[in-house]
Amino acid sequence: MSIQFDFANETLERMSGRGVFLTVGEDKPNTMTIGWGSISVYWGKPIFIVPVRHSRYSYSILEEGDMFTVSVPPLTQEMNNALGICGSRSGRDTDKYGLAGLSLLPGRTVKVPVIAGCDYYYECRVLYSTDLDINALPYAIQQACYKNGDEHRLYFGEITAAYKG
């Protein structure tokens, strides 16, 4: 499948700026905000790599499934507030969708939903995952990002659909 990457640069800019939504789980979805990730080509396939810390509720859901979606919200105050809620509250004990005023739409190629009202969407199937080796990182990064050890697992998701909202 050929995927057009005409909005990949804007996705990466928004992700590194204020974040984007990562949604996992089919039956009981959970959405978190991510500010790190990449879009690239591995194994001849379009790939979205998303990092998720082991301590996150989304981690346990993603470990049980093999799909995720990334929704890139528009630059509005409402969506900024929703990103803040999804990045600071756990779906273990919070109805993030109600609190943030978000609605879900079904995915086109995966069973994980996307966030309604976003500018761009990526639907992905996990092909591979691996834990970061914190000890192999430069000391400054260890201190800045992993002082408490809470490492990331990187999920390499084959992009099965990428489209504008």
Side-chain angles (χ1 to χ4, degrees):
M1 167 186 263
S2 175
I3 300 289
Q4 296 295 328
F5 286 103
D6 58 339
F7 45 85
N9 286 338
E10 189 169 353
T11 296
L12 295 173
E13 287 174 21
R14 290 193 196 177
M15 182 169 32
S16 67
R18 57 192 191 109
V20 297
F21 296 113
L22 170 67
T23 303
V24 299
E26 298 173 34
D27 300 326
K28 186 179 183 239
N30 184 63
T31 299
M32 64 180 278
T33 301
I34 59 170
W36 299 355
S38 65
I39 299 169
S40 56
V41 176
Y42 279 84
W43 314 295
K45 300 175 182 298
I47 300 290
F48 205 126
I49 302 170
V50 296
V52 180
R53 290 188 190 271
H54 288 215
S55 63
R56 302 295 187 246
Y57 180 52
S58 292
Y59 170 82
S60 61
I61 296 171
L62 197 47
E63 283 296 293
E64 294 175 9
D66 65 348
M67 296 174 262
F68 63 85
T69 63
V70 176
S71 302
V72 182
L75 301 170
T76 66
Q77 189 58 49
E78 289 174 344
M79 284 297 190
N80 280 343
N81 293 342
L83 285 164
I85 290 167
C86 291
S88 64
R89 307 283 176 100
S90 174
R92 287 183 183 106
D93 51 20
T94 303
D95 173 11
K96 293 187 200 183
Y97 304 112
L99 191 59
L102 296 174
S103 300
L104 299 172
L105 298 171
R108 294 179 181 177
T109 62
V110 297
K111 294 180 181 177
V112 176
V114 297
I115 304 295
C118 286
D119 289 340
Y120 312 117
Y121 298 103
Y122 298 85
E123 299 181 6
C124 303
R125 289 190 186 281
V126 177
L127 295 180
Y128 175 71
S129 64
T130 189
D131 289 332
L132 281 178
D133 180 359
I134 296 171
N135 296 320
L137 294 170
Y139 182 76
I141 293 175
Q142 291 178 36
Q143 290 302 300
C145 302
Y146 300 102
K147 240 182 204 173
N148 300 323
D150 190 13
E151 69 186 345
H152 284 100
R153 175 162 289 174
L154 299 178
Y155 294 92
F156 291 69
E158 179 181 4
I159 300 170
T160 58
Y163 51 96
K164 293 182 178 183

